[in-house]
Amino acid sequence: MRMDKLTSKFQEALANAQSLALGKDHQFIEPVHIMIAMLDQEGGSIKPLLVQMGVNTALIRTELTKELARLATVSGSGGDVQISNETNRLLNLTDKLAQKRNDSFISSELFLLAACEEKGFLQELFKKSNITKQKLETAIANMRGGESVQDANAEDQRQALKKYTIDLTERAAQGKLDPVIGRDDEIRRTIQ
């Protein structure tokens, strides 16, 4: 798999996964490392995608942490961390999914789709969390808005409205806005 074909956020997640594996003295970068890195990623698209699907991300994070603790540790390896066979299969499947979608770059959410198809811990976790391939594809289509990934920074641009604006409708629904509309008489008396 060519690293230059990954979106910047996916490259960042892989680098964070490598750092996590190194810090935990694991010899291989497993899909669990990548999933934790994507969930913890600031400005990433995975956590908002799962929240949009109604998934309890805190529960998934807890299960991932438990699985991470079960992985074998190696001492004295001198920082030599490699990609595991399972991770390699998932990354290749992710590449294949991107090609089917006519994406120029491979984005993070396709890793989740690949995990739904490939047997392993993530597939079992997704089944427990009620994440199906069909639901995931629908959520990805909604998030992408029918667009394919043609830019390495496509994931950064998706959440632009949430990053740079305030959703007043959401704040009003949460009761965080003062309902000033309809109080014209009271406002006039206060001003006088």
Side-chain angles (χ1 to χ4, degrees):
M1 167 177 271
R2 291 179 44 195
M3 294 299 280
D4 61 324
K5 285 295 187 181
L6 303 177
T7 60
S8 57
K9 284 293 181 186
F10 199 17
Q11 287 179 14
E12 182 182 321
L14 287 175
N16 291 341
Q18 180 181 7
S19 179
L20 179 62
L22 189 64
K24 298 283 186 182
D25 291 325
H26 296 149
Q27 186 177 6
F28 296 104
I29 301 170
E30 298 289 346
V32 176
H33 295 106
I34 296 171
M35 190 67 197
I36 288 174
M38 287 193 296
L39 275 177
D40 293 347
Q41 191 174 51
E42 198 166 309
S45 60
I46 297 303
K47 194 169 187 173
L49 179 73
L50 293 175
V51 168
Q52 175 191 342
M53 292 174 58
V55 174
N56 184 348
T57 55
L59 182 66
I60 287 182
R61 180 69 166 85
T62 303
E63 290 297 318
L64 289 169
T65 305
K66 286 179 188 175
E67 181 63 18
L68 194 64
R70 284 189 210 114
L71 294 176
T73 59
V74 177
S75 61
S77 64
D80 184 28
V81 180
Q82 302 167 1
I83 292 179
S84 71
N85 289 336
E86 185 180 354
T87 302
N88 196 34
R89 281 194 308 274
L90 275 175
L91 290 174
N92 287 335
L93 187 55
T94 304
D95 189 0
K96 189 175 181 180
L97 289 170
Q99 289 175 22
K100 283 182 182 177
R101 292 172 174 262
N102 295 322
D103 291 346
S104 296
F105 292 88
I106 303 165
S107 59
S108 303
E109 64 269 8
L110 294 182
F111 184 80
L112 297 183
L113 267 180
C116 282
E117 292 182 17
E118 187 72 27
K119 291 193 186 315
F121 173 76
L122 287 183
Q123 185 186 48
E124 295 301 317
L125 178 62
F126 288 175
K127 281 181 184 175
K128 277 193 241 177
S129 302
N130 200 20
I131 301 173
T132 63
K133 184 179 176 187
Q134 189 67 31
K135 286 182 181 177
L136 200 52
E137 284 179 337
T138 304
I140 289 170
N142 289 340
M143 184 179 68
R144 285 185 172 191
E147 298 287 320
S148 60
V149 179
Q150 301 301 324
D151 182 18
N153 297 317
E155 290 183 73
D156 292 329
Q157 297 163 0
R158 285 190 195 132
Q159 304 295 325
L161 282 176
K162 286 210 184 263
K163 279 185 201 172
Y164 303 115
T165 63
I166 298 170
D167 188 348
L168 295 177
T169 306
E170 182 182 322
R171 284 210 173 166
Q174 294 172 349
K176 292 183 179 178
L177 283 183
D178 187 26
V180 176
I181 299 170
R183 293 195 204 169
D184 293 338
D185 293 336
E186 290 83 358
I187 292 172
R188 279 192 208 101
R189 271 189 249 134
T190 304
I191 292 172
Q192 288 175 352

